[in-house]
Structure formats: C-alpha cells, structure tokens
Amino acid sequence: MKTSQLSLFDNGPPEWEQDDVTLEWVAGIVFPTGLTGSLDYRIPEPMQNELQPGMRVTVPLGKGNREQLGYCIAAGQKETAGRKLKEILTLVDSRRLLSEKMLKLTAWMAESYLCPWGVVLDAVLPVGVRDSAGTRLTSVLLPAEDYQKKLDILAKSPKGKNLLTPKQKQVLETLLRSEVSLTAAELARMAKCSMAPIQHLKTLGFFRVKHVRRERKMETPPVIPRVEPHQLNPDQQRALNMILEAVHQNRHETFLLHGVTGSGKTEVYIRAMEDVVKNGRQAVVLVPEISLTPQTVLRFRERFDRVAVLHSHLTDAERHREWQQVASGEIQVVVGARSAVFAPVPRLGLMILDEEHESSFKQDVAPRYHARDVAQQRAAEENVPLVLGSATPSLESWYRAKKKEYRLIAMPHRVRNRPLPYVGTIDLRTGERGRMTRGALHPQMHLAIQEALDQNGQVILLLNRRGFSTHIQCPACGEVMKCPDCDVTLTHHQAADVAICHYCDYQIPAPSKCPKCGFTGIRYGGFGTQKLEMEIKARFPGTPLLRMDTDTMQGHGAHERALTQFREGNVRILLGTQMIAKGLDFPNVTLVGVINADTAIHLPDFRASERTFHLITQVAGRTGRGDREGLVLVQTYNPDHPAIVAAAKHDYHQFVSQELPMREALGYPPFTRLARFVVRGPAERVCHEFAVELAERLRQSTEELELKSRLLGPAPAPFSKLRGNFRFHLHLHALDADKLRAAVRQAADRLKSPDGIQWMVDLDPLDML
C-alpha cells in the first residue's frame, strides 16, 4: 500500500491540498504502537461529517490488514494522485478527545523528545478516558427522523382506525420536549405511563434506538467551608502584582518565584488564581506527587468552589470523571501531579509549577518529557503566564532567569518575619561516636530528640533508605548478597525476614549463613527506616512513633491517615524517606533530624550535590513554621562538602556560585544540552557491540551536521545490570539543541538493533544511573 508519510517531527497536523484536481476525503492516522510517521486512509462517506482530528479510529494495517487502533491527526479533502488508499474501519469515539491546541502541543513534544507522535498521544490521554471508565452502555430513545410524516399518514386514515391513544400522544410529546436523551424507563416515569404505549410507538416506527455511554453516579465531594485570605506581606504583594500584570495583559511570561521555605508562596499562587477565576478563566497547578497531600489539596478547596484533583491514586473511573468535568469548563482550578499539565481546560488563564526543581516532574518512560518544559510551551501557545516556584530552584531554571529568559521574583523572608531554623551538622567521622554508642543516632541527636519531646514538640527524622539493613555481607569470605538479575545489593526487610531487590522485586529468605562458604556469622550492615524505627522505639519507649515509606504507605488512604495522626498530635516522632521532606506544614515540629546526609552525595551523577542541597534545605523547612523556633541537625561524614555547608546556612546563592562554575568548566547542563543513550540486552557482548555501532553513527552524524559536541562512551552504566539486562550508556553534549536532535535522528535512521537488544534516548535526562 502506498501511503503519504508525515514526518514524526513536523510541527503540526499535515496541511491538506485544496486544488481543483480530483479530491478524496482522507485522514492522517498515527499509531500508539510506535510506528514512525502517519499513514493516509480514505474516510468512508458515513464518517465524513463525524470524524475530526483528535478522535480514535480502527484501520487495516500492513499486508495482513490487521485491525489497528490509531489517532486521527488531520481530516479533510486531499488529492491522492491516483493512489488506492485503504479505508477506515470504525470510528471509536463519538466526540474528539484532543483539541487542536493539544494536538499542536503533542506534535511539539514528539519533535522535542524524539518520540513517535502516536506514543505521545497515548501518554497524554489517561487510560480511564480512553476506556470510558465509570460509564455504562445504555440504549436511549430518539424521535424517528420521519415521525412527522407518520403522524400525517395517521391523521389521514379512516376515523377510528390506527389513531394514537391519548397516552401514546403524551409519550411522544414528552420525548419531543425533552432536552436530553431518555431511556425507555425514564420516558415512562416522565410520561407517567407503563411500558406498553412506549413499546407500541416503537413498533409503529416512531422511535429510533441509539446506544450511548452514561456515567455511573459517584460520590459528590463534601462542601468545604470557605477560609478568608491571609494578609499579604510586602514580598508577597510585590510578587502577586508582577504576576497579575501579565495575567491582565493576556501575555505569556515565565516567572521564577524563588521564596525560602515558609515564605508564603502558596498564598501568592492562590491570590493570582482567584483573579483568573473571577474573570471566567481556569488555572492549573502542578505539584510533585509526593507533595500532593490532603493538606495541600484542602488549601485550594478552602478557597475555590470547584477544584479537580488529578494524581496517580485515582481509579480509572475517578480520573475519567475529573477529566470530563475539566473539559466541560465547570472546574475552576486543576491541582495535580506531572500529567495534569495536559488537563483539558478550555479557558486556560494561568499555569503554576510548585517545587519546580523536583525530579518527579520528569517522566522516565516514553515520552520522556519534563512537565516544566511542556508547561512553558503550553503557556506560550495559549498566551498565559507560567509561575515556577521553589525554595531551591533547579540550576537550569536559575540559569535561564539570569539570562532573562525567565523573570526572577525573590521572596527572601518567611511570613511574619519568622526566623529560618538553625541548622547544625554532626560530624560522624569523630571516634567519639564509635566509643559512646552504637546505632544510627549520634549522642547529640539523641539529646536533641529528648529535649524536643520534653518541651512537648514534635520531631521529624529523615533517612532516605527503606528496609532494615541496606547490605548483607559475609565477614569470612567477603561475599555480598546481590540480586542475580541486577547489579545491586539486596536489602534486608525484617518484618517479612526477606532480602529484596528494590529494582526488580527479586527476593529470598534472609540468609542465616553465607551461601558461598557456609559461614554462620553473616553480617547485616547499614541502616534503613525499619532499623531506625526499632532503634527509636528502644531509645524512647512509649513515645508514639510513625514510619512513612513506600512499605508502610501502600494501602488506600494510608498517607492521609498517617499525616492526620501527626497533625493532631497523636504521633510525636515521624520518621521516613523523602516523602516526609516536602509539602508538610506542622507548626509544632521543633526538631528535624537528617540521619544520613550522604546517601546520594557520592553517586556518579553530576547533579548529586544539587540533589543533596535540595533535600537538606527542603526538610529543614519543615520546622520553625509556627510560633516556636526550630532546630535542624544533619548527621554526615562530609560536613565540609559545599552542598552541606550551603544548606546549613540556608544559602542558595552560595551553593549556586560554587556549583555553576564547576558545571560550566566540565561542559554540563545548564551550559550544554545533553542526550543520554542506554542500550540494554541479555547478552553483554552483543549489547556492547551495538552500543559501539551507535556511538560511531553519532560521531558521523555530528560531523556531517558540523555540530560542536562531545561524545562520552559507550561505558557500562552505573547500574550495569538491571532486571536481567546488561546496560551500556553514552552521553552526547552539545550547545545547539535543534542540531543535537537532528544528529540523533540521522544516527537512528535505518538503525536496526540485534534481536533482544533495546535502546532509548533521553533528552535533558535527570536519571543518570
């Protein structure tokens, strides 16, 4: 079959020719299976007035004409030059699922992230929306198109013969007056009759039956009492004025709102959104999934009547319902995680990305988009402002602000001029700790916890490692228990007494002796949250304690119940992984303890220092938010590390002034653009050979395009084996992003990988492992 190919990287739907030559009704179709480009299909006559771009269809594909689902990205009359096109089989949707604006945005994503357009479209539409989750197929009655003709025939028939009864006339009039389609049962109730007259009218041909989908009734969210707005301080008012200036001028501008923890950034967001809603428009607020707590959602529901919440814990039916309400325009504010950037608001007036530095805004599967960049593109296309907020902006955003691509707004003070908490470091290198105690807590940390409890305060302890023991090793022969499918050590989980791989979920019973030499004194080393919990219970018996990590927060509503207990004072010590480091506002927290600040600082990742600075600064911001002063203690073996020193001073500018020159000298983002390639497969030699071939093609394409670039690799990835696959990676650095993409496309053209070998490319990656 000859087809018209649409380049995957075109900037929008194809333009259809409108010449005087013979034209046919043709649709451009892209596929979620990853097929590159679009294919032309003839639109059957019955569909020509129904099919619109943004709808799904089924079409015959390939020599075998297998039925395949696809997305229509363009439809209209087109000259086919005598080509014999295959015909669309069925129209899947009764209405378009994607607007013209969303089609344009997804085309940009396909171009920017080197991903097939159909794959992008499938990622944008939630499964619940695609499957019409929470709906049921129902038969409704509609007047037959020739019902008036039938009435005229009856009126002319001999008197007393074939006339409708009064009840039948009432049924027909009821259906004609109804503004919505009715089932037979609903029509019977409205006409106050039995089913007999309805059935008789159907037999006479006055009704036609149509199958439609209707939503099942779902619980209505409770009404939340309104809360009066807070008085803004000068910093907040200045920030609000700058944002509203762009809102009122219907002008796109990206603002970087750099406010310390507790400076009142959320109140600025809400005030700006109130102005947008007052003028009949809608706002979208993105927050990291980990920060999308009930407390966060409540703040918005206390100020707005109609709020939609989009996150990963929604059922498909709930997500479909929220999506429908958003698309209808009845929702004022959308609050959600990364995918909420695609919320189908028809009258967008403002976009906000809170905690913009968070890595969870980057998707780790195709399309590997960053919600910050997609939000900026969408806001620019729809001519609305975008606000990026953070106490610790990513260096990419900070660099853009310094280059005047973003407009910087500073909020350097906490509300009510509350002081930032004192941050002290505890040097774990000293021999004193080893002589005086064993365990995760330094004596100074123990005393601080006891003092906070004695003063009726609450304590948050951060340890960003779950499990009990983080490695298992034989002291006799040195054997380390590793996952056979991954190049990582197994973690001991005491509750189930198993050793688990946190990457592929491989698990074995916790060994009592070395599997290699049989030595029975096997050593369980390292600390995870489970072991810390046991130590805290032993040191502070009777103190209400709660552990929050992915092992304990698996049940529906577990996260909300845990935070409610802590907020109400039923829990005195909250310990956990990074999920407790952000988005929490508890005025009675007087101590935050970082048990090990070094968990990420030595990872082979150029952002390791930045992530460490972010985490310490963010968790430090959880204390001192009320009238009581806060204290932060950080246990570390690297107290002189620049990231830890700057975090202890709450000094973002000091950190940036040291980190950015280092990045520039080494040629790393934000001074260059980076593409990371990962090749994986079960055969190590074949995997490496293909990675070498890919590297050679990249060198050729960059030379031909005269792209100033630097190629590193191939080399084994830091995690050289995961889930049974060996992994090699390459890094391609360049100044010109467009030429970088062109070089990748050229290198990938007609590149065929060996059986069992897969490869991927990630533009502007955050995961370097």
Side-chain angles (χ1 to χ4, degrees), residues 95 126-136 213-219 308-326:
R95 54 183 175 74
V127 174
V129 176
R130 298 200 302 264
D131 296 344
S132 298
T135 65
R136 55 189 173 84
R213 286 200 168 271
R214 283 188 173 179
E215 288 189 14
R216 294 187 177 97
K217 288 186 177 180
M218 301 182 73
E219 290 184 15
V309 182
L310 303 176
H311 57 79
S312 63
H313 299 299
L314 294 178
T315 66
D316 286 345
E318 290 170 335
R319 183 174 287 273
H320 183 216
R321 184 195 185 198
E322 296 279 37
W323 187 272
Q324 294 282 69
Q325 289 180 326
V326 171

Side-chain angles (χ1 to χ4, degrees), residues 583-756:
L584 307 182
D585 188 353
F586 300 119
N588 199 40
V589 173
T590 57
L591 173 66
V592 167
V594 179
I595 304 304
N596 185 352
D598 309 326
T599 52
I601 208 165
H602 297 303
L603 290 175
D605 183 344
F606 70 91
R607 290 190 180 89
S609 293
E610 184 180 2
R611 289 199 175 103
T612 298
F613 176 81
H614 287 170
L615 189 60
I616 295 174
T617 303
Q618 292 289 335
V619 75
R622 299 314 104 203
T623 186
R625 299 175 77 94
D627 296 329
R628 306 174 67 177
E629 290 188 1
L631 171 66
V632 182
L633 293 178
V634 179
Q635 296 186 167
T636 174
Y637 288 96
N638 297 274
D640 299 324
H641 191 283
I644 294 176
V645 171
K649 296 179 180 178
H650 303 283
D651 196 336
Y652 178 82
H653 295 277
Q654 176 179 323
F655 172 72
V656 169
S657 67
Q658 294 173 319
E659 185 71 11
L660 276 181
M662 191 182 306
R663 296 268 189 99
E664 185 174 19
L666 297 174
Y668 276 105
F671 298 96
T672 62
R673 302 297 293 271
L674 172 62
R676 182 183 187 230
F677 303 81
V678 177
V679 178
R680 63 178 184 269
E684 184 175 14
R685 181 184 60 80
V686 178
C687 194
H688 179 257
E689 288 174 352
F690 179 73
V692 170
E693 179 186 355
L694 176 59
E696 182 57 34
R697 291 179 70 113
L698 287 169
R699 287 191 187 92
Q700 292 176 0
S701 64
T702 54
E703 288 175 6
E704 291 173 9
L705 293 172
E706 299 181 346
L707 173 64
K708 292 183 179 179
S709 61
R710 178 180 59 160
L711 179 65
L712 303 178
F719 289 144
S720 60
K721 189 180 181 185
L722 281 180
R723 304 175 187 90
N725 286 316
F726 293 93
R727 305 170 74 244
F728 291 85
H729 68 164
L730 306 92
H731 294 173
L732 182 60
H733 300 250
L735 295 174
D736 189 322
D738 291 333
K739 278 193 174 183
L740 174 62
R741 294 188 189 95
V744 175
R745 285 191 215 104
Q746 184 171 316
D749 185 36
R750 291 186 292 276
L751 174 62
K752 183 173 175 56
S753 57
D755 291 342

Side-chain angles (χ1 to χ4, degrees), residues 265-278:
K265 294 185 291 295
T266 303
E267 183 63 28
V268 173
Y269 303 155
I270 290 175
R271 290 292 189 91
M273 290 154 57
E274 285 176 338
D275 187 281
V276 166
V277 168
K278 182 180 67 177

Side-chain angles (χ1 to χ4, degrees), residues 113-126:
Y113 297 105
L114 304 177
C115 183
W117 195 356
V119 174
V120 176
L121 293 173
D122 225 36
V124 165
L125 279 177

Side-chain angles (χ1 to χ4, degrees), residues 427-473:
D427 188 350
L428 297 182
R429 296 173 301 182
T430 59
E432 177 186 353
R433 173 178 177 270
R435 291 193 300 271
M436 295 183 61
T437 184
R438 298 186 64 183
L441 301 183
H442 187 280
Q444 187 178 342
M445 183 73 78
H446 178 105
L447 292 174
I449 294 172
Q450 188 63 65
E451 184 176 344
L453 296 175
D454 290 343
Q455 295 176 359
N456 204 31
Q458 289 176 293
V459 177
I460 290 178
L461 300 176
L462 171 71
L463 177 58
N464 207 22
R465 281 180 176 168
R466 62 190 178 97
F468 191 83
S469 298
T470 54
H471 63 272
I472 308 168
Q473 186 173 21

